[in-house]
Amino acid sequence: MTALGLASRREADEWIEAGWVRVNGRLAVLGQRVRPEDKIVVDPAAHREQAQRVTILLNKPVGYVSGQAEDGYEPASVLLRPENQWKEDQSGLRWHPGHMRSLAPAGRLDIDSVGLLVLTQDGRVARQLIGEDSNVEKEYLVRVEYHHGPRLPDSDLALLNHGLTLDDHVLRPCKVSWQNEDQLRFVLREGRKRQIRRMCEAVGLKVVGLKRVRIGSVSLGHLPPGQWRYLRRDEFFA
């Protein structure tokens, strides 16, 4: 089911347990093997339940980790309280305890980075943003310092756009340009661990501030730091 794009592994297990999946007309069971020629049918009730799952956009401040608590730092999810919902949220949804169930970050921001963090109950959104074949753009504004001369050479800026390798992995081409004299704009289609910071280090730049401002067609906009809103029904990452 995951390979066919019908559901995430977790969703598939939940749907099978709920009796919403049939293989060749018979109820599926967990762990059942299927052949390419087998016909899988998912009850519409599963899709209705999936459609009700929420996705939340948070403007993460410095000092919070994206996922589980670690090294004494709290997860960003602790900020998802009713009083922190943005007053200008136009989704029409209000905070509900059920919206916190199975909510997981779809991508990460370092503890010392800020900006747009997506948390979702919807496996389709997670696959779109962090799946192996994800091609969704992520845009960052990065304040940097350069101490090896008056300015970064154009050849090193070109290297940031394409030509660097991290962990024996050739990075995908990206878009890197100057916004002003001390701030770069990065647009990436991948997200390796501390990728932007390590890219900058490779050409002699020190990152002093990093903010994610866009994922796909969804922008951070005017969402205040530490506040959150629901993804609207008319918003899509790609």
Side-chain angles (χ1 to χ4, degrees), residues 92-208:
L93 298 173
R94 303 308 300 172
W95 185 90
H96 185 277
H99 294 161
M100 302 298 108
R101 183 179 65 85
S102 301
L103 192 69
R108 300 177 65 86
L109 277 176
D110 299 331
I111 192 169
D112 43 2
S113 300
V114 303
L116 183 57
L117 181 65
V118 176
L119 301 101
T120 186
Q121 294 177 323
D122 194 332
R124 296 168 300 178
V125 172
R127 287 196 305 277
Q128 185 181 44
L129 299 187
I130 59 175
E132 291 184 2
D133 58 349
S134 174
N135 202 38
V136 176
E137 287 187 344
K138 286 90 172 178
E139 181 178 347
Y140 304 79
L141 297 179
V142 186
R143 287 190 297 111
V144 295
E145 294 177 351
Y146 187 64
H147 301 294
H148 302 282
R151 65 188 300 273
L152 183 73
D154 290 342
S155 58
D156 283 347
L157 181 63
L159 197 59
L160 287 173
N161 278 269
H162 190 212
L164 290 178
T165 299
L166 295 180
D167 305 323
D168 298 321
H169 172 83
V170 178
L171 298 178
R172 294 184 189 180
C174 59
K175 302 172 186 175
V176 184
S177 58
W178 287 105
Q179 290 293 99
N180 53 52
E181 62 182 11
D182 67 351
Q183 184 169 256
L184 287 165
R185 172 180 175 266
F186 277 73
V187 180
L188 308 181
R189 291 183 182 271
E190 61 185 329
R192 306 188 72 79
K193 187 174 182 180
R194 297 182 73 83
Q195 178 172 334
I196 290 177
R197 296 177 188 275
R198 294 167 67 195
M199 290 173 68
C200 287
E201 289 173 3
V203 297
L205 290 169
K206 178 183 178 181
V207 173
V208 294

